[in-house]
Amino acid sequence: MARFLFTTWEGGGHVQPLLLVAADMIARGHEVLAISDPANAADAQALGVPFRAWTSAPFQTGKTRDDDRLRDFEADNPMAVIERLLDRVMTGPSAAYAHDVLGALDDFPADVIVTQELLLGVMVAAQARGTRLALLSANIWSLPNLAGAPPFGAGMAPAADDQERSMHAMVAQMARGLFQSGLPALNAARAEHGLAPLDDLFAQFDAADAILLATSAAFDFAPDPLPAPFAHVGPYLADPAWARPAPLPDGDAPLVVVSFSSLYQAQEQTLRNVIAALSGLPVRALVTTGPTLDPAEFEAPPHVKVVRSAPHGAVLGQAAAFITHAGHGSTLRPLMAGVPLLCLPMGRDQNDNAIRAAHRGAAITLSPDASPEKIAHALGQLLDDPSYGQAARTLGARIARDAEGRSAARALEALV
């Protein structure tokens, strides 16, 4: 038996996968403690994972749009998004995150710390205490320090020639430079704990003994094999604790399921355009708004049901198409059920997930401000052209094999 300390923050879809790995470790006989925002306490309880809340570090008590501390939907350019990420998660509060982790280690002397990849303060604490460290990314890798992968954020396909490879390398180098504005705050946290200053923010990642990508290698565009210490460990996906059953619309018309982010991304107008598109089509539709939006805000005809949540695991087997913002879980789970996607990515990792599905012929991608007419036309293509469904089943079967063989627990045990 070993002790594993898991840490994350309320950032949406990465919380549950980390908790699922923590639950796996408990099932294998290990001691586990998870630290996150109070908003995630119920998620941990549902999986039987002992939980402790951040105290010095910033935290959210709820999951509504007003609780969101990142508020990246207010940023109007990529640099502004990076600045918010640095100031509010990665480096601005790094000393506070380190303080909380070191306090937890006094009470729970862990053999391994497992953290979401953006919490650099947790990495500082692990390095200061000499505790083994694993980063767990419940996604494709989102930072510009993985050579050979397309640059993150813009939804780029794999490089086809030397010119495109050079362009990808140049974009990644520019992105690395943008993150360096967080270096003073990171070095201040390091100095507080007796660690030497760094010249490059990404040198902090050298403290990690393992970087585990909880996604499917079959889905990813990352190099094969991955350079050490990166490793694919398969996707960890399940319905969230807050999802409640919802009745499907009556009839036998094709079922379309609609799901956007569980976080707020100012997605109201996109959802209204999707509902308007569905209103004139011979389909049934189930639209889930998630915890940040009230279903009462949206008008819909009888064949389009708008609800706060529904367990996707129970409805995807009946779906003919899935309309999504293309978050990681909202992309992989429909594919694993063989359901083609209409993606309207709104930022974060979504452009990159959408291109990975579309590149394999399993999705169509539109702008999030696409008109109802464009959405209806694209959905008609998905429903009428069987090649999209076949591509979704082919890719989904490969992703499902990676999910069945998921290996984060074994990789963490190897660190002890």
Side-chain angles (χ1 to χ4, degrees), residues 3-343:
R3 287 181 170 179
F4 294 86
L5 178 64
F6 287 79
T7 75
T8 189
W9 60 287
E10 172 45 30
H14 62 243
V15 175
Q16 189 192 47
L18 181 136
L19 293 174
L20 287 168
V21 175
D24 273 2
M25 302 309 290
I26 293 171
R28 295 166 78 94
H30 302 290
E31 271 191 85
V32 162
L33 176 65
I35 311 178
S36 190
D37 299 33
N40 301 135
D43 302 270
Q45 183 180 19
L47 292 168
V49 176
F51 182 84
R52 176 169 172 161
W54 298 116
T55 54
S56 301
F59 58 79
Q60 291 178 212
T61 57
K63 296 176 181 278
T64 71
R65 72 184 82 175
D66 295 328
D67 294 309
D68 190 303
R69 77 170 184 270
L70 189 58
R71 301 185 72 83
D72 58 345
F73 53 87
E74 295 175 348
D76 58 4
N77 62 78
M79 183 61 214
V81 173
I82 291 172
E83 287 174 349
R84 285 171 180 267
L85 198 59
L86 289 166
D87 293 344
R88 303 182 186 191
V89 180
M90 291 182 70
T91 59
S94 55
Y97 278 117
H99 177 272
D100 284 359
V101 169
L102 291 169
L105 289 172
D106 290 339
D107 301 328
F108 184 82
D111 299 291
V112 179
I113 294 173
V114 186
T115 188
Q116 198 268 350
E117 72 274 14
L118 298 182
L119 297 184
L120 272 69
V122 177
M123 303 179 206
V124 169
Q127 195 172 5
R129 190 60 62 92
T131 305
R132 304 217 77 184
L133 174 67
L135 312 185
L136 181 70
S137 173
N139 208 327
I140 60 172
W141 187 246
S142 64
L143 295 166
N145 59 334
L146 175 56
F152 178 85
M156 293 184 176
D161 52 38
D162 288 343
Q163 183 177 359
E164 289 188 0
R165 278 186 283 275
S166 296
M167 186 266 290
H168 284 189
M170 180 184 68
V171 172
Q173 188 61 34
M174 290 174 60
R176 286 183 73 108
L178 295 177
F179 278 91
Q180 302 306 323
S181 64
L183 194 55
L186 175 62
N187 278 334
R190 290 176 59 84
E192 188 175 323
H193 299 289
L195 299 176
L198 300 175
D199 294 327
D200 174 11
L201 179 140
F202 291 98
Q204 183 61 65
F205 289 82
D206 295 341
D209 299 288
I211 302 177
L212 308 180
L213 306 187
T215 187
S216 165
F219 175 73
D220 205 356
F221 287 162
D224 184 19
L226 283 168
F230 289 88
H232 284 112
V233 293
Y236 286 72
L237 304 167
D239 291 317
W242 47 264
R244 297 292 178 266
L248 298 178
D250 295 332
D252 56 4
L255 176 65
V256 178
V257 179
V258 181
S259 178
F260 279 70
S261 180
S262 60
L263 299 179
Y264 185 66
Q265 289 192 267
Q267 63 262 51
E268 294 97 328
Q269 189 56 51
T270 301
L271 270 176
R272 290 192 176 97
N273 288 346
V274 169
I275 291 169
L278 293 166
S279 297
L281 295 175
V283 298
R284 297 176 296 148
L286 183 68
V287 179
T288 59
T289 66
T292 63
L293 297 177
D294 185 349
E297 296 179 38
F298 303 92
E299 295 183 7
H303 69 284
V304 179
K305 280 190 177 294
V306 183
V307 298
R308 191 174 295 279
S309 66
H312 289 161
V315 300
L316 283 172
Q318 304 173 61
F322 194 84
I323 303 178
T324 176
H325 65 304
H328 183 254
S330 297
T331 301
L332 266 63
R333 293 192 75 197
L335 290 172
M336 291 167 67
V339 180
L341 308 171
L342 175 55
C343 301

